[in-house]
């Protein structure tokens, strides 16, 4: 395939990924398969690292866009982001000792439970029940950051969805506030993953930066749409993305 055409195709994939990721996460569902299809002979670590380069710019942009309209609860998000950074680094290192594919059945079950719970609880995340954050909230944020950060570095699919769900369920946030909080933690996990992969494998920096620019364009549109349409819209997109994640993991687990 011609290199220029390849860049255009992957750029379009990154743009759509940025759009989806800015609203509710799940951009990796689009970018990673596109990279795997374009470079079937490349080692997965090279492609995962390149994907993170493309993702982090859009994620940061979405976080900035949200922060202009949605107040960020830094008391819990700050510690959570630090825990996510450390968790992601050690998660990436753990890939050496265990095949991430062994997690697919467990993650599939968890995503199904998340989808069912969100569907049944129609009011979940549409109205904030967020308390005044104290020590308990900080401890919960540290736990969420460490566990989901490790998971993102180790495996990854559904990271944004899990973060949003846990921020809503455990910390009482609405979907918009949970989404911006998830973006900040995702920036941390992406930073750690890029640092780890860059120190261990050769990344495709030129392609990654082109995809990052396209991802940024999609993220700007996605975050503005989410802010305009509100938590109800984000909830619907959340369910759509989780459903697609379930279908993809079910295919990889049972049919591939």
């Amino acid at each position: 395939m011609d290199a220029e055409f390849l860049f255009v195709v992957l750029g379009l994939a990154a743009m759509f990924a940025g759009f989806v990721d800015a609203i509710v996460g799940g951009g990796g569902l689009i970018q990673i398969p596109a990279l795997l299809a374009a470079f079937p002979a490349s080692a997965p670590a090279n492609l995962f690292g390149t994907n993170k380069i493309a993702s982090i710019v859009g994620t940061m942009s979405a976080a900035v866009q949200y922060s202009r309209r949605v107040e960020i609860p830094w008391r819990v998000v700050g510690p959570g982001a630090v825990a996510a950074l450390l968790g992601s680094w050690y998660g990436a290192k753990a890939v050496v000792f265990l095949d991430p594919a062994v997690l697919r059945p467990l993650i599939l079950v968890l995503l199904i439970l998340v989808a069912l719970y969100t569907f049944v609880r129609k009011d979940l995340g549409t109205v904030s029940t967020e308390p005044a954050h104290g020590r308990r909230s900080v401890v919960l944020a540290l736990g969420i950051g460490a566990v989901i950060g490790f998971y993102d570095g180790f495996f990854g699919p559904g990271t944004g969805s899990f973060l949003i769900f846990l921020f809503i369920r455990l910390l009482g946030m609405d979907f918009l506030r949970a989404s911006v909080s998830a973006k900040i933690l995702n920036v941390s996990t992406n930073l750690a993953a890029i640092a780890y992969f860059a120190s261990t494998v050769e990344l495709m920096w030129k392609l990654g930066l082109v995809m990052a620019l396209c991802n940024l364009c999609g993220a700007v549109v996605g975050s503005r749409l989410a802010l305009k349409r509100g938590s109800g819209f984000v909830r619907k997109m959340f369910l759509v993305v989780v459903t697609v994640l379930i279908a993809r993991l079910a295919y990889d687990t049972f049919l591939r």
Side-chain angles (χ1 to χ4, degrees):
M1 187 182 292
D2 184 78
E4 287 79 8
F5 179 72
L6 189 64
F7 270 49
V8 170
V9 171
L10 290 173
L12 290 173
M15 187 178 297
F16 185 50
F19 173 80
V20 174
D21 207 49
I23 299 172
V24 76
L29 276 172
I30 301 159
Q31 280 187 171
I32 291 176
L35 284 165
L36 289 170
F39 301 99
S42 295
N46 299 65
L47 302 183
F48 292 162
T50 303
N51 170 66
K52 294 296 186 185
I53 296 170
S55 297
I56 191 170
V57 175
T59 303
M60 289 177 67
S61 169
V64 170
Q65 291 285 330
Y66 279 114
S67 67
R68 292 173 179 167
R69 296 269 299 277
V70 181
E71 185 181 354
I72 300 172
W74 286 109
R75 181 176 176 83
V76 293
V77 170
V82 173
L85 182 83
L86 296 173
S88 181
W89 175 270
Y90 285 104
K93 292 186 72 172
V95 175
V96 176
F97 305 103
L98 184 65
D99 183 2
V102 301
L103 285 182
R104 280 197 189 115
L106 173 61
I107 301 308
L108 181 59
V109 171
L110 290 175
L111 282 170
I112 290 172
L113 292 175
V114 165
L116 288 173
Y117 188 88
T118 305
F119 183 78
V120 171
R121 289 286 304 276
K122 304 291 186 183
D123 61 335
L124 183 72
T126 56
V127 179
S128 176
T129 58
E130 205 171 343
H133 293 302
R135 184 179 299 175
R136 178 180 178 276
S137 294
V138 173
V139 171
L140 285 171
L142 286 169
I144 292 169
V147 173
I148 303 301
F150 182 90
Y151 168 72
D152 191 36
F154 184 70
F155 190 44
T159 294
S161 300
F162 284 130
L163 284 171
I164 289 171
F165 179 79
L166 291 172
F167 281 137
I168 293 170
R169 182 66 185 85
L170 299 181
L171 295 175
M173 297 181 186
D174 61 31
F175 268 101
L176 275 179
R177 200 157 154 99
S179 187
V180 66
S181 300
K183 295 291 172 291
I184 293 168
L185 266 68
N186 252 158
V187 169
S188 289
T189 61
N190 286 343
L191 275 174
I194 290 171
Y196 178 80
F197 285 126
S199 67
T200 56
V201 299
E202 185 176 347
L203 303 182
M204 293 181 280
W205 287 99
K206 184 178 179 180
L207 174 61
L209 291 173
V210 170
M211 290 179 69
L213 180 61
C214 296
N215 191 284
L216 171 64
C217 294
V220 170
V221 176
S223 54
R224 288 180 178 176
L225 182 62
L227 287 166
K228 181 180 179 181
R229 300 290 295 274
S231 288
F233 171 73
V234 178
R235 178 183 184 275
K236 291 174 184 175
M237 285 292 295
F238 176 84
L239 285 169
V240 169
V241 169
V242 170
T243 300
V244 173
L245 269 168
I246 290 169
R248 175 61 192 271
L249 283 174
Y251 173 79
D252 288 344
T253 303
F254 302 113
L255 299 176
R256 206 165 187 178

